[in-house]
Amino acid sequence: MRTVTLPAPDDFDAWRDAARGLAAAQVPPDDVVWQVGAEPRDLFAGEAVANEAPPASPGFSVPRAFLDLARDVVLADEAERWSLLYAALSRLRAEPKLMEDRADPLVRRLETIAKGVRRDIHKMRAFLRFREVESGAGEEGSSRFVAWFEPEHHIVRANASFFVNRFASMRWSILTPEVSLHWDGAALSEGPGASKADAPEGDPIEAVWKTYYASIFNPARVKIGAMLKEMPRKYWKNMPETALVPGLIAGAQARESGMIETARASMGGNSAMAWEALRDEAAACTRCPLYKPATQTVFGEGPVTARLLFVGEQPGDQEDLAGKPFVGPAGQVFNRALGQAGIERDTVYVTNAVKHFKFEARGKRRIHSKPGAGEIDACRWWVEQERMLIRPGVSVALGATAARSLLGRAVTIGKERGRPLPLAEGGGQAFITVHPSYLLRLQDKAQAEDEFGRFVDDLRAAAALVG
């Protein structure tokens, strides 16, 4: 009987090195006992040799699908994970297509374990909340941020790069019972586990976040069962906004009416603060790879009291540099059409379905590239938050990309153009027309004038829907 002691409960590399040697030496899975650090040895395993290395022998290749699955399974809080993975690895020599057999009990077991790990990784990213604290003695800067989280699996180190990339400009610490992570803006360090008492209870930022959450809360869309399934109550105590949920539901109608009236009354009120919080959050968005080459996030612009909201496709070259929507050639056509339709630009809210500029570099030029469905869907969350905060009577989709963002499905502009469509998300109606860039591409002057006139008529019709 061989005993292999791994240095940490999430050490994939150590497991892989040990398993590779054991499999190459054809050591049967039943002859190996796996343990971590100072964990007690199996009393029935017989004499054990820690980290015993089998004789060197030729290795063998395994499918990438197995390695990807193993990286997740290793993070599970499951005592049998090591032996289950080694059993699968041993079988792969004789059954190279094992991972394709989803009905195999061992494969199903590993997939189930990995699914739980991936869910826990998502929960940490979604429900972890930083709180601001004062800097300690000798620390540069005025503040740092601390978060407390209780994962179900050994996911903290695996999740570290997400938070480093997501909050690169902050100095923060993530405290968990097993291990703590600390980022000083340049380097990541690790510390021992902590307790809930080591984390702060609250800070001024929570007031802004609660204001934003209360402003977008729509009781008609809340399904308690679905909420609890996606966001179990164990995470509520660490999230400031969840303290608002019972009261928001209990006084839903009166609260919603009051917030809408307050929002309409003044740009300096709660809705403006909530919009600023949302914009600042979007500035660090990494939901899709488009943020990497883009100069910046181009968020929506306009009064939060707007009754008419326009959604374009994505920022262009000039918008990417300026950080404002519709300031390039298409924006000039849009402004001219608004003027002829009797709509003042500063009374409407203008945004884009995708918030980062997608382009192909050709020499020194950046050529517009159409966003894909995945990029539209990744950014749709931001558009939904803008609409739920502003609650426009009509949301005008400028082009097919914007229509997909608003409706959640692909549509044909010629079929749906010019007629109101009900919107489930945030209420109100959608109104579909062409994108101003379409008008710029028309070569025939007479056709271009006719189409511009149709576009102006569409804008008038959309404005008429909101009176």
PDB file of all heavy atoms in Angstrom, residues 291-316:
ATOM      1  N   TYR A 291     -12.877  44.167 -23.307  1.00  0.00           N
ATOM      2  CA  TYR A 291     -12.298  45.221 -22.475  1.00  0.00           C
ATOM      3  C   TYR A 291     -10.789  45.333 -22.661  1.00  0.00           C
ATOM      4  O   TYR A 291     -10.190  46.387 -22.400  1.00  0.00           O
ATOM      5  CB  TYR A 291     -12.626  44.963 -21.001  1.00  0.00           C
ATOM      6  CG  TYR A 291     -11.777  43.901 -20.345  1.00  0.00           C
ATOM      7  CD1 TYR A 291     -10.615  44.236 -19.658  1.00  0.00           C
ATOM      8  CD2 TYR A 291     -12.120  42.552 -20.425  1.00  0.00           C
ATOM      9  CE1 TYR A 291      -9.833  43.259 -19.070  1.00  0.00           C
ATOM     10  CE2 TYR A 291     -11.351  41.582 -19.837  1.00  0.00           C
ATOM     11  CZ  TYR A 291     -10.206  41.930 -19.155  1.00  0.00           C
ATOM     12  OH  TYR A 291      -9.431  40.962 -18.572  1.00  0.00           O
ATOM     13  N   LYS A 292     -10.146  44.256 -23.119  1.00  0.00           N
ATOM     14  CA  LYS A 292      -8.677  44.242 -23.188  1.00  0.00           C
ATOM     15  C   LYS A 292      -8.111  45.229 -24.207  1.00  0.00           C
ATOM     16  O   LYS A 292      -7.250  46.039 -23.860  1.00  0.00           O
ATOM     17  CB  LYS A 292      -8.192  42.817 -23.468  1.00  0.00           C
ATOM     18  CG  LYS A 292      -8.516  41.831 -22.351  1.00  0.00           C
ATOM     19  CD  LYS A 292      -8.038  40.435 -22.694  1.00  0.00           C
ATOM     20  CE  LYS A 292      -8.384  39.456 -21.564  1.00  0.00           C
ATOM     21  NZ  LYS A 292      -7.945  38.074 -21.882  1.00  0.00           N
ATOM     22  N   PRO A 293      -8.560  45.217 -25.483  1.00  0.00           N
ATOM     23  CA  PRO A 293      -7.991  46.168 -26.440  1.00  0.00           C
ATOM     24  C   PRO A 293      -8.631  47.550 -26.399  1.00  0.00           C
ATOM     25  O   PRO A 293      -8.060  48.509 -26.918  1.00  0.00           O
ATOM     26  CB  PRO A 293      -8.251  45.493 -27.796  1.00  0.00           C
ATOM     27  CG  PRO A 293      -9.500  44.713 -27.572  1.00  0.00           C
ATOM     28  CD  PRO A 293      -9.435  44.231 -26.161  1.00  0.00           C
ATOM     29  N   ALA A 294      -9.826  47.660 -25.812  1.00  0.00           N
ATOM     30  CA  ALA A 294     -10.532  48.943 -25.814  1.00  0.00           C
ATOM     31  C   ALA A 294      -9.847  49.954 -24.892  1.00  0.00           C
ATOM     32  O   ALA A 294      -9.184  49.585 -23.920  1.00  0.00           O
ATOM     33  CB  ALA A 294     -11.981  48.744 -25.389  1.00  0.00           C
ATOM     34  N   THR A 295     -10.041  51.229 -25.201  1.00  0.00           N
ATOM     35  CA  THR A 295      -9.480  52.282 -24.360  1.00  0.00           C
ATOM     36  C   THR A 295     -10.194  52.372 -23.024  1.00  0.00           C
ATOM     37  O   THR A 295      -9.572  52.530 -21.981  1.00  0.00           O
ATOM     38  CB  THR A 295      -9.581  53.643 -25.078  1.00  0.00           C
ATOM     39  OG1 THR A 295      -8.914  53.554 -26.333  1.00  0.00           O
ATOM     40  CG2 THR A 295      -8.959  54.752 -24.238  1.00  0.00           C
ATOM     41  N   GLN A 296     -11.518  52.235 -23.046  1.00  0.00           N
ATOM     42  CA  GLN A 296     -12.303  52.402 -21.828  1.00  0.00           C
ATOM     43  C   GLN A 296     -13.728  51.910 -22.057  1.00  0.00           C
ATOM     44  O   GLN A 296     -14.151  51.692 -23.203  1.00  0.00           O
ATOM     45  CB  GLN A 296     -12.354  53.875 -21.426  1.00  0.00           C
ATOM     46  CG  GLN A 296     -12.940  54.780 -22.501  1.00  0.00           C
ATOM     47  CD  GLN A 296     -12.736  56.248 -22.217  1.00  0.00           C
ATOM     48  OE1 GLN A 296     -12.988  56.714 -21.110  1.00  0.00           O
ATOM     49  NE2 GLN A 296     -12.246  56.988 -23.210  1.00  0.00           N
ATOM     50  N   THR A 297     -14.457  51.738 -20.975  1.00  0.00           N
ATOM     51  CA  THR A 297     -15.881  51.470 -21.064  1.00  0.00           C
ATOM     52  C   THR A 297     -16.601  52.751 -21.482  1.00  0.00           C
ATOM     53  O   THR A 297     -16.327  53.820 -20.946  1.00  0.00           O
ATOM     54  CB  THR A 297     -16.438  51.014 -19.703  1.00  0.00           C
ATOM     55  OG1 THR A 297     -15.755  49.833 -19.286  1.00  0.00           O
ATOM     56  CG2 THR A 297     -17.928  50.716 -19.785  1.00  0.00           C
ATOM     57  N   VAL A 298     -17.496  52.638 -22.444  1.00  0.00           N
ATOM     58  CA  VAL A 298     -18.303  53.796 -22.852  1.00  0.00           C
ATOM     59  C   VAL A 298     -19.720  53.549 -22.331  1.00  0.00           C
ATOM     60  O   VAL A 298     -20.485  52.778 -22.910  1.00  0.00           O
ATOM     61  CB  VAL A 298     -18.304  53.986 -24.377  1.00  0.00           C
ATOM     62  CG1 VAL A 298     -19.159  55.191 -24.756  1.00  0.00           C
ATOM     63  CG2 VAL A 298     -16.880  54.171 -24.884  1.00  0.00           C
ATOM     64  N   PHE A 299     -20.042  54.188 -21.226  1.00  0.00           N
ATOM     65  CA  PHE A 299     -21.331  53.970 -20.579  1.00  0.00           C
ATOM     66  C   PHE A 299     -22.378  54.911 -21.170  1.00  0.00           C
ATOM     67  O   PHE A 299     -22.066  55.801 -21.960  1.00  0.00           O
ATOM     68  CB  PHE A 299     -21.198  54.197 -19.073  1.00  0.00           C
ATOM     69  CG  PHE A 299     -22.250  53.507 -18.263  1.00  0.00           C
ATOM     70  CD1 PHE A 299     -22.368  52.133 -18.283  1.00  0.00           C
ATOM     71  CD2 PHE A 299     -23.143  54.233 -17.480  1.00  0.00           C
ATOM     72  CE1 PHE A 299     -23.340  51.481 -17.543  1.00  0.00           C
ATOM     73  CE2 PHE A 299     -24.121  53.601 -16.739  1.00  0.00           C
ATOM     74  CZ  PHE A 299     -24.214  52.221 -16.771  1.00  0.00           C
ATOM     75  N   GLY A 300     -23.629  54.702 -20.775  1.00  0.00           N
ATOM     76  CA  GLY A 300     -24.714  55.543 -21.262  1.00  0.00           C
ATOM     77  C   GLY A 300     -24.612  56.965 -20.749  1.00  0.00           C
ATOM     78  O   GLY A 300     -23.858  57.269 -19.824  1.00  0.00           O
ATOM     79  N   GLU A 301     -25.407  57.856 -21.354  1.00  0.00           N
ATOM     80  CA  GLU A 301     -25.339  59.280 -21.027  1.00  0.00           C
ATOM     81  C   GLU A 301     -26.724  59.897 -21.182  1.00  0.00           C
ATOM     82  O   GLU A 301     -27.446  59.583 -22.128  1.00  0.00           O
ATOM     83  CB  GLU A 301     -24.347  59.959 -21.967  1.00  0.00           C
ATOM     84  CG  GLU A 301     -24.146  61.428 -21.728  1.00  0.00           C
ATOM     85  CD  GLU A 301     -23.135  62.006 -22.702  1.00  0.00           C
ATOM     86  OE1 GLU A 301     -23.469  62.081 -23.903  1.00  0.00           O
ATOM     87  OE2 GLU A 301     -22.022  62.348 -22.282  1.00  0.00           O
ATOM     88  N   GLY A 302     -27.081  60.759 -20.244  1.00  0.00           N
ATOM     89  CA  GLY A 302     -28.359  61.441 -20.320  1.00  0.00           C
ATOM     90  C   GLY A 302     -29.022  61.502 -18.966  1.00  0.00           C
ATOM     91  O   GLY A 302     -28.551  60.917 -17.985  1.00  0.00           O
ATOM     92  N   PRO A 303     -30.151  62.204 -18.849  1.00  0.00           N
ATOM     93  CA  PRO A 303     -30.834  62.344 -17.557  1.00  0.00           C
ATOM     94  C   PRO A 303     -31.477  61.036 -17.112  1.00  0.00           C
ATOM     95  O   PRO A 303     -32.029  60.296 -17.927  1.00  0.00           O
ATOM     96  CB  PRO A 303     -31.897  63.419 -17.836  1.00  0.00           C
ATOM     97  CG  PRO A 303     -32.137  63.335 -19.312  1.00  0.00           C
ATOM     98  CD  PRO A 303     -30.823  62.973 -19.921  1.00  0.00           C
ATOM     99  N   VAL A 304     -31.407  60.773 -15.817  1.00  0.00           N
ATOM    100  CA  VAL A 304     -32.045  59.558 -15.297  1.00  0.00           C
ATOM    101  C   VAL A 304     -33.560  59.706 -15.260  1.00  0.00           C
ATOM    102  O   VAL A 304     -34.266  58.740 -14.965  1.00  0.00           O
ATOM    103  CB  VAL A 304     -31.518  59.215 -13.893  1.00  0.00           C
ATOM    104  CG1 VAL A 304     -30.050  58.852 -13.942  1.00  0.00           C
ATOM    105  CG2 VAL A 304     -31.768  60.353 -12.919  1.00  0.00           C
ATOM    106  N   THR A 305     -34.056  60.891 -15.548  1.00  0.00           N
ATOM    107  CA  THR A 305     -35.502  61.115 -15.638  1.00  0.00           C
ATOM    108  C   THR A 305     -36.031  60.954 -17.058  1.00  0.00           C
ATOM    109  O   THR A 305     -37.206  61.215 -17.314  1.00  0.00           O
ATOM    110  CB  THR A 305     -35.831  62.538 -15.145  1.00  0.00           C
ATOM    111  OG1 THR A 305     -35.062  63.483 -15.909  1.00  0.00           O
ATOM    112  CG2 THR A 305     -35.511  62.705 -13.671  1.00  0.00           C
ATOM    113  N   ALA A 306     -35.168  60.531 -17.982  1.00  0.00           N
ATOM    114  CA  ALA A 306     -35.559  60.453 -19.392  1.00  0.00           C
ATOM    115  C   ALA A 306     -36.708  59.469 -19.593  1.00  0.00           C
ATOM    116  O   ALA A 306     -36.717  58.389 -19.010  1.00  0.00           O
ATOM    117  CB  ALA A 306     -34.359  60.038 -20.244  1.00  0.00           C
ATOM    118  N   ARG A 307     -37.671  59.847 -20.431  1.00  0.00           N
ATOM    119  CA  ARG A 307     -38.768  58.954 -20.774  1.00  0.00           C
ATOM    120  C   ARG A 307     -38.489  58.219 -22.079  1.00  0.00           C
ATOM    121  O   ARG A 307     -39.196  57.295 -22.442  1.00  0.00           O
ATOM    122  CB  ARG A 307     -40.081  59.761 -20.905  1.00  0.00           C
ATOM    123  CG  ARG A 307     -40.487  60.496 -19.649  1.00  0.00           C
ATOM    124  CD  ARG A 307     -40.778  59.515 -18.521  1.00  0.00           C
ATOM    125  NE  ARG A 307     -41.948  58.709 -18.810  1.00  0.00           N
ATOM    126  CZ  ARG A 307     -42.095  57.441 -18.436  1.00  0.00           C
ATOM    127  NH1 ARG A 307     -41.132  56.843 -17.789  1.00  0.00           N
ATOM    128  NH2 ARG A 307     -43.194  56.782 -18.712  1.00  0.00           N
ATOM    129  N   LEU A 308     -37.451  58.646 -22.787  1.00  0.00           N
ATOM    130  CA  LEU A 308     -37.074  58.032 -24.057  1.00  0.00           C
ATOM    131  C   LEU A 308     -35.612  57.609 -23.963  1.00  0.00           C
ATOM    132  O   LEU A 308     -34.729  58.424 -23.647  1.00  0.00           O
ATOM    133  CB  LEU A 308     -37.263  59.047 -25.193  1.00  0.00           C
ATOM    134  CG  LEU A 308     -37.375  58.539 -26.636  1.00  0.00           C
ATOM    135  CD1 LEU A 308     -38.507  57.518 -26.786  1.00  0.00           C
ATOM    136  CD2 LEU A 308     -37.585  59.713 -27.584  1.00  0.00           C
ATOM    137  N   LEU A 309     -35.347  56.329 -24.217  1.00  0.00           N
ATOM    138  CA  LEU A 309     -33.994  55.786 -24.118  1.00  0.00           C
ATOM    139  C   LEU A 309     -33.621  55.167 -25.456  1.00  0.00           C
ATOM    140  O   LEU A 309     -34.410  54.431 -26.055  1.00  0.00           O
ATOM    141  CB  LEU A 309     -33.939  54.739 -23.003  1.00  0.00           C
ATOM    142  CG  LEU A 309     -32.604  54.037 -22.733  1.00  0.00           C
ATOM    143  CD1 LEU A 309     -32.455  53.735 -21.243  1.00  0.00           C
ATOM    144  CD2 LEU A 309     -32.494  52.717 -23.519  1.00  0.00           C
ATOM    145  N   PHE A 310     -32.429  55.475 -25.954  1.00  0.00           N
ATOM    146  CA  PHE A 310     -31.941  54.951 -27.217  1.00  0.00           C
ATOM    147  C   PHE A 310     -30.783  53.999 -26.969  1.00  0.00           C
ATOM    148  O   PHE A 310     -29.856  54.316 -26.199  1.00  0.00           O
ATOM    149  CB  PHE A 310     -31.478  56.084 -28.138  1.00  0.00           C
ATOM    150  CG  PHE A 310     -32.593  56.943 -28.658  1.00  0.00           C
ATOM    151  CD1 PHE A 310     -33.013  58.068 -27.950  1.00  0.00           C
ATOM    152  CD2 PHE A 310     -33.237  56.622 -29.850  1.00  0.00           C
ATOM    153  CE1 PHE A 310     -34.037  58.865 -28.419  1.00  0.00           C
ATOM    154  CE2 PHE A 310     -34.271  57.414 -30.320  1.00  0.00           C
ATOM    155  CZ  PHE A 310     -34.680  58.530 -29.607  1.00  0.00           C
ATOM    156  N   VAL A 311     -30.816  52.843 -27.620  1.00  0.00           N
ATOM    157  CA  VAL A 311     -29.738  51.850 -27.510  1.00  0.00           C
ATOM    158  C   VAL A 311     -29.115  51.669 -28.884  1.00  0.00           C
ATOM    159  O   VAL A 311     -29.803  51.291 -29.845  1.00  0.00           O
ATOM    160  CB  VAL A 311     -30.264  50.496 -26.998  1.00  0.00           C
ATOM    161  CG1 VAL A 311     -29.110  49.504 -26.855  1.00  0.00           C
ATOM    162  CG2 VAL A 311     -30.987  50.667 -25.682  1.00  0.00           C
ATOM    163  N   GLY A 312     -27.821  51.950 -28.995  1.00  0.00           N
ATOM    164  CA  GLY A 312     -27.097  51.720 -30.234  1.00  0.00           C
ATOM    165  C   GLY A 312     -26.397  50.373 -30.208  1.00  0.00           C
ATOM    166  O   GLY A 312     -26.684  49.511 -29.384  1.00  0.00           O
ATOM    167  N   GLU A 313     -25.457  50.195 -31.129  1.00  0.00           N
ATOM    168  CA  GLU A 313     -24.762  48.909 -31.223  1.00  0.00           C
ATOM    169  C   GLU A 313     -23.580  48.855 -30.260  1.00  0.00           C
ATOM    170  O   GLU A 313     -23.560  48.106 -29.301  1.00  0.00           O
ATOM    171  CB  GLU A 313     -24.268  48.686 -32.654  1.00  0.00           C
ATOM    172  CG  GLU A 313     -23.542  47.347 -32.826  1.00  0.00           C
ATOM    173  CD  GLU A 313     -22.892  47.198 -34.187  1.00  0.00           C
ATOM    174  OE1 GLU A 313     -21.829  47.818 -34.416  1.00  0.00           O
ATOM    175  OE2 GLU A 313     -23.451  46.454 -35.008  1.00  0.00           O
ATOM    176  N   GLN A 314     -22.566  49.675 -30.506  1.00  0.00           N
ATOM    177  CA  GLN A 314     -21.353  49.692 -29.690  1.00  0.00           C
ATOM    178  C   GLN A 314     -20.625  51.011 -29.943  1.00  0.00           C
ATOM    179  O   GLN A 314     -20.930  51.710 -30.920  1.00  0.00           O
ATOM    180  CB  GLN A 314     -20.436  48.523 -30.063  1.00  0.00           C
ATOM    181  CG  GLN A 314     -19.862  48.631 -31.464  1.00  0.00           C
ATOM    182  CD  GLN A 314     -18.663  47.733 -31.706  1.00  0.00           C
ATOM    183  OE1 GLN A 314     -18.084  47.170 -30.788  1.00  0.00           O
ATOM    184  NE2 GLN A 314     -18.270  47.592 -32.962  1.00  0.00           N
ATOM    185  N   PRO A 315     -19.671  51.377 -29.090  1.00  0.00           N
ATOM    186  CA  PRO A 315     -18.895  52.587 -29.358  1.00  0.00           C
ATOM    187  C   PRO A 315     -18.068  52.421 -30.632  1.00  0.00           C
ATOM    188  O   PRO A 315     -17.623  51.316 -30.958  1.00  0.00           O
ATOM    189  CB  PRO A 315     -17.982  52.706 -28.124  1.00  0.00           C
ATOM    190  CG  PRO A 315     -18.545  51.766 -27.114  1.00  0.00           C
ATOM    191  CD  PRO A 315     -19.258  50.709 -27.856  1.00  0.00           C
ATOM    192  N   GLY A 316     -17.856  53.510 -31.330  1.00  0.00           N
ATOM    193  CA  GLY A 316     -16.935  53.519 -32.456  1.00  0.00           C
ATOM    194  C   GLY A 316     -15.583  54.031 -32.012  1.00  0.00           C
ATOM    195  O   GLY A 316     -15.310  54.198 -30.816  1.00  0.00           O
TER     196      GLY A 316
END
